[in-house]
Amino acid sequence: TAGATTLKYPSTWQQITEPGTQFAAADISNGYSFGSRISVRQAGKDELAPAPITGQQPDEAAQLRTAANNWILQQQQAVVGYRSLSLFPTTVGNKQAITVEDAYLLDSSLGGGSGLPALMHGQDTIVLSGDNFSILSFATEASKWDDTKDVRANILSGWQVP
């Protein structure tokens, strides 16, 4: 539980610390460095989908699209090798949401120094909750993406946003 958000994830995963998140957990059974991971963060509505100059508030679907596009721009600046792969509508509980599928490079958190980064495949699901957007991020090594389909589906279906 992160604030009023509830999240279900595999019992073998452990909670970790990740900067800028309300909550993060990772599968450390095969080594923490590049294991599957999730995080939940909040972003203000004014940060990801500011009101247009006209002053009229767009509908929720339009706000989600704007938020996703601005999220992608932020990630491109903050994450090494970040690429958005697709964008598609979804739901979280009974709320409209949008998912950004992406890929990026991740350096080893163990500080091995000479190790190569991993190519990560992820998805960030964005949902509007009051005056904020809640963002659930899931990532795993690209070579394991297809193997985590059920895990991703279970995590997303167990995510409850007020």
Side-chain angles (χ1 to χ4, degrees):
T1 300
T5 297
T6 302
L7 184 64
K8 295 177 184 173
Y9 57 93
S11 61
T12 56
W13 290 22
Q14 291 190 15
Q15 190 169 344
I16 60 171
T17 301
E18 198 170 287
T21 66
Q22 290 181 299
F23 176 83
D27 178 3
I28 61 171
S29 61
N30 293 322
Y32 169 73
S33 295
F34 304 124
S36 296
R37 58 196 61 231
I38 55 170
S39 64
V40 175
R41 45 181 59 83
Q42 294 277 323
K45 193 174 181 180
D46 56 341
E47 176 186 347
L48 288 182
I53 296 171
T54 62
Q56 292 185 335
Q57 195 65 1
D59 66 15
E60 190 169 342
Q63 289 181 65
L64 287 167
R65 284 190 303 274
T66 299
N69 288 327
N70 286 327
W71 176 253
I72 290 167
L73 290 172
Q74 286 181 5
Q75 296 303 91
Q76 286 173 337
Q77 293 174 357
V79 179
V80 175
Y82 180 89
R83 298 292 184 272
S84 61
L85 304 174
S86 67
L87 191 66
F88 54 91
T90 188
T91 57
V92 173
N94 60 354
K95 294 178 176 280
Q96 290 184 62
I98 195 162
T99 295
V100 178
E101 186 176 349
D102 51 34
Y104 60 93
L105 296 176
L106 180 66
D107 283 326
S108 170
S109 60
L110 299 179
S114 63
L116 291 173
L119 176 60
M120 302 297 283
H121 192 161
Q123 64 183 33
D124 302 319
T125 301
I126 303 168
V127 64
L128 184 59
S129 178
D131 289 334
N132 293 303
F133 288 99
S134 291
I135 304 156
L136 170 63
S137 298
F138 174 94
T140 194
E141 283 188 83
S143 62
K144 297 178 181 166
W145 181 253
D146 291 339
D147 298 339
T148 62
K149 181 179 179 181
D150 291 339
V151 172
R152 292 191 317 267
N154 288 338
I155 289 171
L156 189 58
S157 70
W159 186 31
Q160 297 176 6
V161 180

